[in-house]
Every structure is written in structure tokens, then in C-alpha cells.
Amino acid sequence: MTYQRFHSQRGISFFGLLIVGVLLALLAIVGARVLPTATEFMAIQKAAKKAAAEGGTVPQVRAAFDRTAAVDYISSISGKDLEVTKDGDKVVVQFAYDKEIPLAGPAYLLLKYRGSSAGGYN
């Protein structure tokens, strides 16, 4: 008499594979919509640092930001949206804005961006 060992199968079923594929596709779609806003935030951060280094007065800082924003295709904020302060001799430019990304129907993804030319988040 021969005894056979039955091994349980391991792995993922077709239904499980389908669910994982759909979830990965949804994550890729959301990521593709978030990535441009993240790159725009980095461009805004860079423009704010440049404007703080170039300008001495509030109108000069805002004009410097607007010039850089025109070149870097920044559309979320403009120079008038900046908060310009002084910390000792150093000009500090702070900004904050919200970005809504439509997902499906009434569902939106809200991203709140804020930054400062001095670094960090206030």
C-alpha cells in the first residue's frame, strides 16, 4: 500500500489576483494625479527661497516670486498669496494652499500644502 502525501496548494487565486490588480490600478491612478501637485509644491518651495534671497521689500519679494512662477508654470498661488516677514536681517516667505483632486463622483482628495523659505512647516 502506497501512501501519498497531499500538499496544500499555496499561492493566490484568480479572484485574489484580480482584486490585487484593481487595487494597484487605483493606487496608480491616484498617484498619477498627486505627482504633478507634489512637483508643483517643490517648484513653489524653490521659488519662495529664491524670492526671499532676491527681494528686500514685500513688493520686491512678490514680484520676484511672480517672475519665477511664470517661468516654472506655477498656477496654484501667486505673489499676493505669500506671507512675507523678517526674522532679524533675513526675509522669510511663507505660503499655504489647498489642492483638491477629483477622484470619482462626489469624492475628492484634499491636499494641504504649506512651506517656508526658512524650511520646516509653521
Side-chain angles (χ1 to χ4, degrees):
M1 192 170 185
T2 309
Y3 292 103
Q4 291 182 334
R5 285 188 150 183
F6 292 103
H7 296 288
S8 63
Q9 293 183 355
R10 287 188 248 170
I12 190 166
S13 67
F14 178 72
F15 186 68
L17 183 66
L18 191 63
I19 289 175
V20 169
V22 167
L23 289 176
L24 288 176
L26 290 175
L27 282 174
I29 290 170
V30 171
R33 290 186 170 201
V34 169
L35 187 64
T37 66
T39 56
E40 184 181 37
F41 171 73
M42 289 185 272
I44 292 171
Q45 184 77 28
K46 186 175 108 181
K49 287 181 181 180
K50 185 176 179 184
E54 286 181 7
T57 64
V58 173
Q60 289 174 341
V61 170
R62 291 185 173 162
F65 181 85
D66 285 336
R67 282 192 304 274
T68 305
V71 172
D72 289 342
Y73 302 108
I74 296 171
S75 61
S76 293
I77 65 171
S78 65
K80 66 180 179 181
D81 300 322
L82 301 176
E83 183 179 326
V84 183
T85 58
K86 277 202 161 203
D87 185 19
D89 292 342
K90 188 177 177 183
V91 175
V92 178
V93 177
Q94 296 178 340
F95 60 91
Y97 66 98
D98 296 342
K99 198 72 167 177
E100 284 185 354
I101 300 171
L103 296 177
Y108 284 83
L109 178 64
L110 176 65
L111 301 171
K112 293 181 175 258
Y113 289 113
R114 70 180 64 142
S116 172
S117 63
Y121 305 104
N122 295 335

